[in-house]
Amino acid sequence: MKKSIFVLILLFGFTIQSTFATDGYFRHGYGIKYSALAGSGVAVSLSSLGAITNPASIIRTNNSLEINISVFSPNRDYTITGNPSGFPQTFGLTPGKIESDKNIFFFPTIGLKRGIADNMAIALSIYGNGGMNTDYPAKTFYDPSSPNTGVNIEQLFANLTYAIEVTKGHSIGVAGIFGWQRFAAKGLVAFTPFSSDPANLSGNSWSTATGFGFKVGYQGVLTDWLSIGAAYQSKINMSEFERYSGLFAEKGDFDVPANWTAGISISPDKDWTLLFDVKQILYSGVKSVSNPMLPNLQTSQLGKDDGAGFGWKDITAIKFGVMYKAIENYTLMAGYSYNENPIKESEVMFNILAPAVIQNHITAGVTRKISEDSDLTLAFMYALNNSVKGANPFEAPGQQSIEIAMRQWQFEIGYSFCLIK
Protein backbone atom coordinates (compact mmCIF):
# COMPACT_ATOMS: atom_id res chain seq x y z
CA MET A 1 0.00 0.00 0.00
CA LYS A 2 2.80 2.41 0.91
CA LYS A 3 4.49 1.78 -2.46
CA SER A 4 1.20 2.41 -4.28
CA ILE A 5 0.67 5.72 -2.50
CA PHE A 6 4.25 6.80 -3.23
CA VAL A 7 3.83 6.02 -6.93
CA LEU A 8 0.56 7.96 -7.02
CA ILE A 9 2.16 11.00 -5.41
CA LEU A 10 4.98 10.90 -7.98
CA LEU A 11 2.40 10.59 -10.76
CA PHE A 12 0.61 13.63 -9.41
CA GLY A 13 3.81 15.66 -9.29
CA PHE A 14 4.71 14.82 -12.88
CA THR A 15 1.27 15.58 -14.33
CA ILE A 16 0.12 18.69 -12.46
CA GLN A 17 -0.17 21.62 -14.84
CA SER A 18 -1.46 25.10 -14.46
CA THR A 19 -5.16 25.44 -15.16
CA PHE A 20 -7.54 28.29 -14.89
CA ALA A 21 -10.15 27.59 -12.29
CA THR A 22 -13.73 28.78 -12.16
CA ASP A 23 -14.65 30.33 -8.77
CA GLY A 24 -12.08 33.05 -9.33
CA TYR A 25 -9.01 30.81 -9.29
CA PHE A 26 -10.55 27.99 -7.24
CA ARG A 27 -11.95 24.90 -8.91
CA HIS A 28 -15.75 24.73 -9.08
CA GLY A 29 -15.64 21.37 -7.23
CA TYR A 30 -13.04 19.04 -5.69
CA GLY A 31 -13.48 15.31 -6.28
CA ILE A 32 -15.31 14.02 -9.35
CA LYS A 33 -18.68 13.38 -7.68
CA TYR A 34 -18.71 16.82 -6.11
CA SER A 35 -17.59 18.28 -9.43
CA ALA A 36 -20.53 16.59 -11.20
CA LEU A 37 -22.78 18.34 -8.66
CA ALA A 38 -21.33 21.78 -9.51
CA GLY A 39 -19.29 21.77 -6.31
CA SER A 40 -22.25 21.31 -3.97
CA GLY A 41 -22.21 18.59 -1.31
CA VAL A 42 -20.80 19.99 1.95
CA ALA A 43 -23.69 18.19 3.70
CA VAL A 44 -23.18 14.73 2.13
CA SER A 45 -20.52 12.01 2.22
CA LEU A 46 -19.85 10.72 -1.29
CA SER A 47 -16.19 9.66 -1.34
CA SER A 48 -12.81 9.96 0.33
CA LEU A 49 -12.27 13.20 -1.62
CA GLY A 50 -15.14 14.78 0.29
CA ALA A 51 -12.47 15.61 2.88
CA ILE A 52 -11.37 18.51 0.63
CA THR A 53 -14.83 20.11 0.81
CA ASN A 54 -15.69 19.10 4.38
CA PRO A 55 -13.26 17.26 6.69
CA ALA A 56 -16.20 15.88 8.71
CA SER A 57 -17.61 13.98 5.72
CA ILE A 58 -15.16 11.06 5.82
CA ILE A 59 -16.89 9.46 8.84
CA ARG A 60 -19.67 8.18 6.59
CA THR A 61 -17.56 6.85 3.67
CA ASN A 62 -15.90 3.49 3.06
CA ASN A 63 -12.17 2.86 3.38
CA SER A 64 -11.04 3.56 -0.16
CA LEU A 65 -8.54 5.00 -2.58
CA GLU A 66 -9.89 7.33 -5.27
CA ILE A 67 -8.09 8.61 -8.36
CA ASN A 68 -9.52 11.29 -10.65
CA ILE A 69 -8.04 12.55 -13.91
CA SER A 70 -9.39 15.75 -15.44
CA VAL A 71 -9.03 17.29 -18.89
CA PHE A 72 -9.58 21.02 -18.62
CA SER A 73 -9.93 23.52 -21.47
CA PRO A 74 -10.10 27.26 -20.70
CA ASN A 75 -10.34 29.74 -23.57
CA ARG A 76 -9.06 33.21 -22.61
CA ASP A 77 -8.90 36.35 -24.74
CA TYR A 78 -8.86 40.13 -24.64
CA THR A 79 -10.07 42.70 -27.16
CA ILE A 80 -8.78 46.27 -27.48
CA THR A 81 -11.18 48.68 -29.21
CA GLY A 82 -10.05 52.15 -30.30
CA ASN A 83 -6.69 53.46 -31.46
CA PRO A 84 -4.10 54.88 -29.07
CA SER A 85 -4.41 58.66 -28.76
CA GLY A 86 -0.68 59.30 -28.70
CA PHE A 87 -1.18 62.02 -26.11
CA PRO A 88 1.65 62.61 -23.61
CA GLN A 89 1.47 60.55 -20.40
CA THR A 90 -0.91 57.99 -21.97
CA PHE A 91 -0.34 54.27 -22.54
CA GLY A 92 -2.50 52.98 -25.37
CA LEU A 93 -2.65 49.30 -26.33
CA THR A 94 -2.63 47.83 -29.84
CA PRO A 95 -6.22 47.37 -31.12
CA GLY A 96 -7.47 43.86 -31.89
CA LYS A 97 -8.43 40.55 -30.33
CA ILE A 98 -5.76 38.25 -28.90
CA GLU A 99 -6.44 34.69 -27.71
CA SER A 100 -4.25 32.92 -25.18
CA ASP A 101 -2.31 29.87 -26.35
CA LYS A 102 -2.35 26.43 -24.71
CA ASN A 103 -5.97 25.55 -23.99
CA ILE A 104 -5.73 21.92 -22.86
CA PHE A 105 -4.51 20.88 -19.41
CA PHE A 106 -4.47 17.61 -17.43
CA PHE A 107 -4.50 17.27 -13.65
CA PRO A 108 -5.19 14.47 -11.16
CA THR A 109 -6.86 14.39 -7.75
CA ILE A 110 -6.12 11.64 -5.23
CA GLY A 111 -7.86 10.68 -1.99
CA LEU A 112 -7.25 7.94 0.58
CA LYS A 113 -9.48 7.30 3.60
CA ARG A 114 -9.12 4.84 6.48
CA GLY A 115 -11.19 4.28 9.60
CA ILE A 116 -9.11 4.03 12.77
CA ALA A 117 -11.99 3.30 15.19
CA ASP A 118 -15.75 2.87 15.04
CA ASN A 119 -16.22 6.62 15.29
CA MET A 120 -12.90 7.99 13.95
CA ALA A 121 -11.22 8.20 10.55
CA ILE A 122 -8.25 9.78 8.80
CA ALA A 123 -7.76 10.77 5.17
CA LEU A 124 -5.08 12.06 2.82
CA SER A 125 -6.07 14.25 -0.13
CA ILE A 126 -3.72 15.53 -2.84
CA TYR A 127 -5.07 18.00 -5.36
CA GLY A 128 -4.17 20.91 -7.55
CA ASN A 129 -5.46 24.42 -7.91
CA GLY A 130 -4.54 26.57 -10.81
CA GLY A 131 -5.39 29.92 -12.12
CA MET A 132 -4.06 33.12 -13.55
CA ASN A 133 -2.69 31.23 -16.56
CA THR A 134 -2.32 33.21 -19.78
CA ASP A 135 0.10 33.04 -22.71
CA TYR A 136 -0.76 35.68 -25.28
CA PRO A 137 1.24 35.58 -28.55
CA ALA A 138 1.67 39.35 -28.50
CA LYS A 139 3.69 42.13 -26.92
CA THR A 140 0.61 43.32 -25.03
CA PHE A 141 2.55 45.84 -22.95
CA TYR A 142 5.31 46.42 -25.56
CA ASP A 143 7.98 44.42 -23.74
CA PRO A 144 11.03 44.26 -26.06
CA SER A 145 12.47 41.29 -24.16
CA SER A 146 9.57 38.87 -24.74
CA PRO A 147 7.40 38.05 -27.79
CA ASN A 148 4.64 36.76 -25.47
CA THR A 149 2.76 38.17 -22.51
CA GLY A 150 1.30 36.22 -19.62
CA VAL A 151 1.52 34.71 -16.17
CA ASN A 152 1.39 31.17 -14.86
CA ILE A 153 0.72 29.95 -11.34
CA GLU A 154 0.56 26.29 -10.30
CA GLN A 155 -0.61 25.14 -6.88
CA LEU A 156 -0.41 21.77 -5.15
CA PHE A 157 -2.09 20.97 -1.83
CA ALA A 158 -1.95 18.00 0.54
CA ASN A 159 -4.61 17.72 3.25
CA LEU A 160 -4.24 15.37 6.22
CA THR A 161 -7.68 14.99 7.80
CA TYR A 162 -8.94 13.64 11.10
CA ALA A 163 -12.67 13.26 11.82
CA ILE A 164 -14.70 11.97 14.75
CA GLU A 165 -18.40 11.23 15.20
CA VAL A 166 -19.10 13.00 18.49
CA THR A 167 -22.63 11.64 18.73
CA LYS A 168 -24.70 9.51 16.40
CA GLY A 169 -25.16 11.32 13.09
CA HIS A 170 -22.99 14.29 14.03
CA SER A 171 -19.32 14.52 13.11
CA ILE A 172 -16.59 17.14 13.15
CA GLY A 173 -13.30 17.12 11.29
CA VAL A 174 -10.10 19.08 11.00
CA ALA A 175 -7.47 19.08 8.25
CA GLY A 176 -3.94 20.39 8.19
CA ILE A 177 -3.11 21.80 4.75
CA PHE A 178 0.33 21.99 3.16
CA GLY A 179 0.55 24.21 0.10
CA TRP A 180 3.19 24.44 -2.62
CA GLN A 181 3.06 26.85 -5.53
CA ARG A 182 5.23 28.27 -8.26
CA PHE A 183 4.88 31.32 -10.47
CA ALA A 184 6.37 32.89 -13.60
CA ALA A 185 5.56 36.05 -15.56
CA LYS A 186 6.69 37.50 -18.89
CA GLY A 187 6.07 40.59 -20.97
CA LEU A 188 5.77 43.06 -18.07
CA VAL A 189 8.97 45.10 -18.45
CA ALA A 190 6.91 48.20 -19.28
CA PHE A 191 6.00 48.39 -15.58
CA THR A 192 9.67 48.73 -14.55
CA PRO A 193 9.37 52.45 -13.62
CA PHE A 194 6.60 51.49 -11.18
CA SER A 195 8.45 48.61 -9.48
CA SER A 196 10.30 48.64 -6.18
CA ASP A 197 12.52 45.80 -7.43
CA PRO A 198 12.76 45.88 -11.26
CA ALA A 199 15.16 42.91 -11.37
CA ASN A 200 12.40 40.75 -9.87
CA LEU A 201 9.45 41.94 -11.92
CA SER A 202 9.21 39.94 -15.15
CA GLY A 203 10.94 37.36 -17.31
CA ASN A 204 12.58 35.41 -14.50
CA SER A 205 12.47 31.64 -14.12
CA TRP A 206 9.97 29.86 -11.88
CA SER A 207 9.76 31.10 -8.30
CA THR A 208 8.37 28.73 -5.64
CA ALA A 209 6.63 29.20 -2.30
CA THR A 210 5.26 26.96 0.46
CA GLY A 211 2.89 27.44 3.36
CA PHE A 212 0.40 25.97 5.80
CA GLY A 213 -3.25 26.39 6.74
CA PHE A 214 -6.14 24.41 8.18
CA LYS A 215 -9.77 23.51 7.53
CA VAL A 216 -12.52 22.58 10.00
CA GLY A 217 -15.92 21.13 9.24
CA TYR A 218 -19.18 19.82 10.68
CA GLN A 219 -21.72 17.44 9.21
CA GLY A 220 -25.00 16.42 10.81
CA VAL A 221 -27.74 13.97 9.86
CA LEU A 222 -30.82 15.59 11.40
CA THR A 223 -33.47 13.23 10.01
CA ASP A 224 -33.58 10.43 7.46
CA TRP A 225 -34.26 13.08 4.79
CA LEU A 226 -32.32 16.14 5.96
CA SER A 227 -28.58 16.69 6.51
CA ILE A 228 -26.56 19.86 7.03
CA GLY A 229 -22.88 20.71 6.72
CA ALA A 230 -20.45 23.59 7.02
CA ALA A 231 -16.70 24.12 6.63
CA TYR A 232 -14.19 26.92 7.04
CA GLN A 233 -10.70 27.07 5.51
CA SER A 234 -8.14 29.49 6.91
CA LYS A 235 -5.92 31.65 4.76
CA ILE A 236 -2.89 29.61 3.75
CA ASN A 237 0.08 31.81 4.56
CA MET A 238 2.66 31.22 1.83
CA SER A 239 6.28 32.29 1.66
CA GLU A 240 7.12 34.99 -0.91
CA PHE A 241 7.87 34.58 -4.60
CA GLU A 242 11.35 36.06 -4.28
CA ARG A 243 11.95 36.28 -8.04
CA TYR A 244 8.78 38.38 -8.35
CA SER A 245 9.19 40.57 -5.27
CA GLY A 246 8.94 43.60 -7.56
CA LEU A 247 5.55 42.53 -8.94
CA PHE A 248 3.30 41.23 -6.16
CA ALA A 249 2.45 43.29 -3.09
CA GLU A 250 4.27 42.57 0.19
CA LYS A 251 7.52 41.64 -1.61
CA GLY A 252 6.11 38.80 -3.69
CA ASP A 253 3.50 37.48 -1.27
CA PHE A 254 0.67 35.42 -2.79
CA ASP A 255 -1.33 33.73 -0.01
CA VAL A 256 -4.32 31.44 -0.62
CA PRO A 257 -7.46 33.26 0.57
CA ALA A 258 -9.73 32.01 3.34
CA ASN A 259 -13.16 30.65 2.41
CA TRP A 260 -16.23 29.10 3.98
CA THR A 261 -19.10 26.86 2.79
CA ALA A 262 -22.47 25.88 4.26
CA GLY A 263 -25.22 23.73 2.82
CA ILE A 264 -28.09 21.28 3.16
CA SER A 265 -29.05 17.94 1.65
CA ILE A 266 -32.70 16.92 1.21
CA SER A 267 -33.77 13.40 0.24
CA PRO A 268 -37.52 13.33 -0.49
CA ASP A 269 -37.28 9.57 -1.11
CA LYS A 270 -34.60 6.87 -1.34
CA ASP A 271 -33.80 7.61 -5.01
CA TRP A 272 -33.50 11.41 -4.99
CA THR A 273 -31.11 13.79 -3.21
CA LEU A 274 -31.21 17.56 -3.60
CA LEU A 275 -28.25 19.75 -2.57
CA PHE A 276 -27.87 23.46 -1.93
CA ASP A 277 -24.60 25.15 -0.89
CA VAL A 278 -23.38 28.70 -0.37
CA LYS A 279 -19.65 29.47 -0.55
CA GLN A 280 -17.70 32.66 -0.01
CA ILE A 281 -14.07 33.27 -1.01
CA LEU A 282 -12.33 36.12 0.81
CA TYR A 283 -9.94 37.49 -1.82
CA SER A 284 -9.79 40.77 0.11
CA GLY A 285 -7.49 39.10 2.64
CA VAL A 286 -4.66 38.81 0.07
CA LYS A 287 -3.21 42.20 -0.92
CA SER A 288 -1.48 41.00 -4.10
CA VAL A 289 -4.89 39.87 -5.37
CA SER A 290 -7.22 42.52 -3.92
CA ASN A 291 -5.22 45.78 -4.10
CA PRO A 292 -6.64 47.91 -6.95
CA MET A 293 -4.45 48.94 -9.87
CA LEU A 294 -5.36 52.62 -9.48
CA PRO A 295 -4.60 54.73 -7.61
CA ASN A 296 -2.09 52.30 -6.08
CA LEU A 297 0.18 52.25 -9.14
CA GLN A 298 0.54 56.02 -8.76
CA THR A 299 0.84 56.18 -4.97
CA SER A 300 3.01 53.12 -4.21
CA GLN A 301 5.48 50.93 -6.06
CA LEU A 302 4.81 47.37 -7.20
CA GLY A 303 6.10 44.99 -4.55
CA LYS A 304 5.32 47.34 -1.66
CA ASP A 305 2.49 46.58 0.80
CA ASP A 306 0.17 48.96 -1.05
CA GLY A 307 1.48 48.11 -4.50
CA ALA A 308 -1.02 47.61 -7.31
CA GLY A 309 -2.75 44.25 -7.58
CA PHE A 310 -5.58 42.67 -9.57
CA GLY A 311 -8.35 44.46 -7.68
CA TRP A 312 -10.35 41.30 -6.97
CA LYS A 313 -13.25 41.52 -4.54
CA ASP A 314 -14.73 38.84 -2.28
CA ILE A 315 -17.20 36.61 -4.11
CA THR A 316 -20.16 34.46 -3.09
CA ALA A 317 -21.08 31.31 -5.02
CA ILE A 318 -24.42 29.49 -4.95
CA LYS A 319 -24.35 25.81 -5.90
CA PHE A 320 -27.20 23.39 -6.65
CA GLY A 321 -26.94 19.64 -7.18
CA VAL A 322 -29.24 16.68 -7.71
CA MET A 323 -28.56 12.92 -7.52
CA TYR A 324 -30.90 10.23 -8.82
CA LYS A 325 -30.46 6.48 -8.51
CA ALA A 326 -31.90 5.72 -11.91
CA ILE A 327 -31.49 1.95 -12.02
CA GLU A 328 -29.53 -0.60 -10.02
CA ASN A 329 -25.78 0.22 -9.86
CA TYR A 330 -26.17 3.64 -11.54
CA THR A 331 -26.38 7.11 -10.01
CA LEU A 332 -27.02 10.17 -12.18
CA MET A 333 -25.81 13.61 -11.08
CA ALA A 334 -26.28 17.15 -12.32
CA GLY A 335 -25.65 20.64 -11.01
CA TYR A 336 -25.56 24.36 -11.58
CA SER A 337 -23.50 27.01 -9.84
CA TYR A 338 -23.35 30.77 -10.05
CA ASN A 339 -20.64 32.95 -8.56
CA GLU A 340 -20.12 36.67 -8.44
CA ASN A 341 -17.48 38.17 -10.69
CA PRO A 342 -14.35 39.14 -8.73
CA ILE A 343 -13.23 41.65 -11.41
CA LYS A 344 -14.71 45.13 -11.67
CA GLU A 345 -14.85 47.15 -14.91
CA SER A 346 -12.20 49.49 -13.55
CA GLU A 347 -9.70 46.61 -13.16
CA VAL A 348 -9.61 45.17 -16.69
CA MET A 349 -6.11 46.47 -17.53
CA PHE A 350 -4.11 44.25 -15.16
CA ASN A 351 -6.65 41.43 -15.46
CA ILE A 352 -5.74 40.90 -19.09
CA LEU A 353 -3.23 38.63 -17.33
CA ALA A 354 -5.92 36.90 -15.24
CA PRO A 355 -9.37 37.09 -16.89
CA ALA A 356 -11.22 35.10 -14.21
CA VAL A 357 -14.69 36.27 -15.24
CA ILE A 358 -16.56 32.94 -15.34
CA GLN A 359 -19.88 33.00 -13.44
CA ASN A 360 -22.17 30.20 -14.66
CA HIS A 361 -21.33 26.47 -14.60
CA ILE A 362 -23.47 23.55 -15.78
CA THR A 363 -22.40 20.03 -14.76
CA ALA A 364 -23.46 16.41 -15.19
CA GLY A 365 -22.11 12.98 -14.30
CA VAL A 366 -22.83 9.31 -13.82
CA THR A 367 -21.45 6.72 -11.39
CA ARG A 368 -21.44 3.02 -12.24
CA LYS A 369 -20.99 0.62 -9.34
CA ILE A 370 -18.65 -2.03 -10.72
CA SER A 371 -18.54 -4.26 -7.66
CA GLU A 372 -19.24 -4.11 -3.94
CA ASP A 373 -15.85 -2.43 -3.46
CA SER A 374 -15.40 -0.22 -6.54
CA ASP A 375 -17.09 2.30 -8.82
CA LEU A 376 -16.35 4.33 -11.93
CA THR A 377 -17.54 7.93 -12.45
CA LEU A 378 -17.64 10.23 -15.47
CA ALA A 379 -18.34 13.95 -15.17
CA PHE A 380 -18.55 16.98 -17.44
CA MET A 381 -18.59 20.71 -16.75
CA TYR A 382 -19.31 23.58 -19.12
CA ALA A 383 -18.76 27.18 -18.03
CA LEU A 384 -20.67 29.69 -20.11
CA ASN A 385 -18.78 32.46 -21.87
CA ASN A 386 -18.57 35.69 -19.91
CA SER A 387 -16.74 38.97 -20.34
CA VAL A 388 -16.03 42.26 -18.58
CA LYS A 389 -15.47 45.48 -20.49
CA GLY A 390 -13.96 48.70 -19.21
CA ALA A 391 -11.96 51.73 -20.23
CA ASN A 392 -8.19 51.73 -20.59
CA PRO A 393 -7.34 53.75 -17.46
CA PHE A 394 -4.11 55.05 -19.01
CA GLU A 395 -5.73 56.55 -22.10
CA ALA A 396 -7.73 59.68 -22.78
CA PRO A 397 -11.37 59.33 -21.61
CA GLY A 398 -13.46 57.43 -24.14
CA GLN A 399 -10.44 56.70 -26.34
CA GLN A 400 -9.93 52.96 -25.76
CA SER A 401 -11.77 50.05 -24.16
CA ILE A 402 -10.53 46.66 -22.94
CA GLU A 403 -12.73 43.54 -22.89
CA ILE A 404 -11.54 40.35 -21.20
CA ALA A 405 -13.41 37.09 -21.75
CA MET A 406 -13.37 33.41 -20.90
CA ARG A 407 -15.29 30.19 -21.48
CA GLN A 408 -14.26 26.65 -20.52
CA TRP A 409 -15.13 22.98 -20.30
CA GLN A 410 -13.84 20.05 -18.27
CA PHE A 411 -14.13 16.26 -18.59
CA GLU A 412 -13.24 13.93 -15.71
CA ILE A 413 -12.95 10.22 -15.09
CA GLY A 414 -12.63 8.78 -11.61
CA TYR A 415 -12.13 5.32 -10.13
CA SER A 416 -12.63 4.42 -6.48
CA PHE A 417 -11.89 1.08 -4.88
CA CYS A 418 -11.61 -0.46 -1.44
CA LEU A 419 -7.94 -0.50 -0.43
CA ILE A 420 -8.30 -1.57 3.21
CA LYS A 421 -10.96 -3.90 4.55
Side-chain angles (χ1 to χ4, degrees):
M1 184 185 71
K2 291 179 180 179
K3 290 181 178 180
S4 298
I5 295 172
F6 179 69
V7 170
L8 289 171
I9 292 173
L10 286 179
L11 173 66
F12 190 100
F14 288 136
T15 58
I16 183 172
Q17 302 178 51
S18 182
T19 61
F20 210 109
T22 51
D23 291 349
Y25 68 85
F26 284 71
R27 285 158 62 177
H28 75 281
Y30 294 88
I32 188 169
K33 294 177 183 178
Y34 296 89
S35 177
L37 296 164
S40 64
V42 72
V44 293
S45 301
L46 302 178
S47 73
S48 60
L49 286 171
I52 303 173
T53 301
N54 187 350
S57 69
I58 60 173
I59 285 294
R60 282 171 281 280
T61 60
N62 296 327
N63 293 330
S64 63
L65 174 65
E66 181 173 352
I67 306 169
N68 301 166
I69 300 293
S70 302
V71 182
F72 186 72
S73 178
N75 294 275
R76 299 86 76 210
D77 64 71
Y78 70 88
T79 302
I80 309 299
T81 302
N83 293 314
S85 66
F87 294 160
Q89 306 302 314
T90 61
F91 187 72
L93 303 181
T94 302
K97 180 178 179 179
I98 303 294
E99 297 183 357
S100 179
D101 289 338
K102 194 177 182 182
N103 294 327
I104 296 292
F105 303 92
F106 300 88
F107 58 94
T109 306
I110 301 169
L112 173 66
K113 180 259 178 168
R114 179 174 186 175
I116 56 175
D118 290 342
N119 67 334
M120 289 185 286
I122 57 174
L124 174 66
S125 309
I126 305 174
Y127 57 102
N129 231 21
M132 295 189 174
N133 169 271
T134 46
D135 186 13
Y136 297 113
K139 295 177 181 288
T140 304
F141 302 118
Y142 309 111
D143 184 346
S145 66
S146 174
N148 288 40
T149 305
V151 296
N152 193 9
I153 188 166
E154 300 175 357
Q155 297 177 323
L156 168 67
F157 300 99
N159 292 15
L160 184 59
T161 302
Y162 168 81
I164 181 170
E165 188 174 38
V166 293
T167 187
K168 186 173 177 57
H170 298 269
S171 58
I172 57 174
V174 60
I177 306 173
F178 169 76
W180 173 92
Q181 58 184 9
R182 67 176 186 170
F183 175 82
K186 55 190 174 184
L188 307 181
V189 167
F191 294 100
T192 294
F194 302 97
S195 176
S196 62
D197 186 3
N200 291 303
L201 169 68
S202 178
N204 296 333
S205 58
W206 289 102
S207 189
T208 61
T210 57
F212 295 90
F214 68 88
K215 191 162 195 170
V216 294
Y218 160 77
Q219 196 173 88
V221 179
L222 304 185
T223 70
D224 58 358
W225 59 270
L226 176 64
S227 297
I228 60 174
Y232 170 79
Q233 180 176 304
S234 72
K235 180 167 73 173
I236 302 178
N237 293 295
M238 307 295 290
S239 57
E240 289 77 25
F241 290 128
E242 295 181 356
R243 293 173 181 170
Y244 294 92
S245 60
L247 174 62
F248 288 134
E250 300 181 296
K251 298 181 180 180
D253 186 63
F254 200 89
D255 296 332
V256 179
N259 59 87
W260 62 264
T261 309
I264 63 172
S265 166
I266 299 173
S267 299
D269 61 44
K270 63 182 181 62
D271 293 329
W272 289 90
T273 301
L274 307 177
L275 305 169
F276 173 73
D277 285 14
V278 176
K279 180 177 183 178
Q280 187 176 47
I281 304 173
L282 306 175
Y283 289 115
S284 61
V286 182
K287 289 186 176 183
S288 55
V289 177
S290 64
N291 282 357
M293 187 176 192
L294 294 178
N296 295 46
L297 199 66
Q298 299 165 319
T299 60
S300 183
Q301 292 179 305
L302 290 168
K304 297 287 186 68
D305 287 359
D306 293 324
F310 293 94
W312 286 21
K313 62 181 181 179
D314 296 344
I315 65 170
T316 299
I318 299 174
K319 300 173 180 288
F320 301 92
V322 57
M323 293 189 295
Y324 173 55
K325 296 180 180 178
I327 57 177
E328 186 177 5
N329 296 327
Y330 285 90
T331 300
L332 302 181
M333 295 165 285
Y336 167 77
S337 72
Y338 170 84
N339 59 265
E340 296 174 300
N341 194 331
I343 300 172
K344 295 178 287 189
E345 292 179 358
S346 59
E347 301 295 337
V348 291
M349 182 72 156
F350 238 8
N351 280 288
I352 286 174
L353 301 172
V357 296
I358 290 293
Q359 293 187 271
N360 296 279
H361 316 78
I362 300 170
T363 64
V366 58
T367 294
R368 166 73 160 90
K369 193 172 182 62
I370 298 173
S371 69
E372 188 65 29
D373 298 324
S374 63
D375 62 52
L376 180 69
T377 302
L378 303 177
F380 181 78
M381 178 275 290
Y382 180 72
L384 279 64
N385 184 74
N386 195 40
S387 65
V388 174
K389 187 175 184 179
N392 180 345
F394 300 115
E395 258 294 359
Q399 183 70 32
Q400 227 179 28
S401 67
I402 302 170
E403 184 175 15
I404 55 176
M406 175 181 283
R407 67 185 185 278
Q408 54 195 208
W409 60 263
Q410 177 176 292
F411 175 76
E412 297 176 84
I413 183 169
Y415 180 62
S416 175
F417 60 96
C418 181
L419 191 63
I420 311 161
K421 291 288 188 177

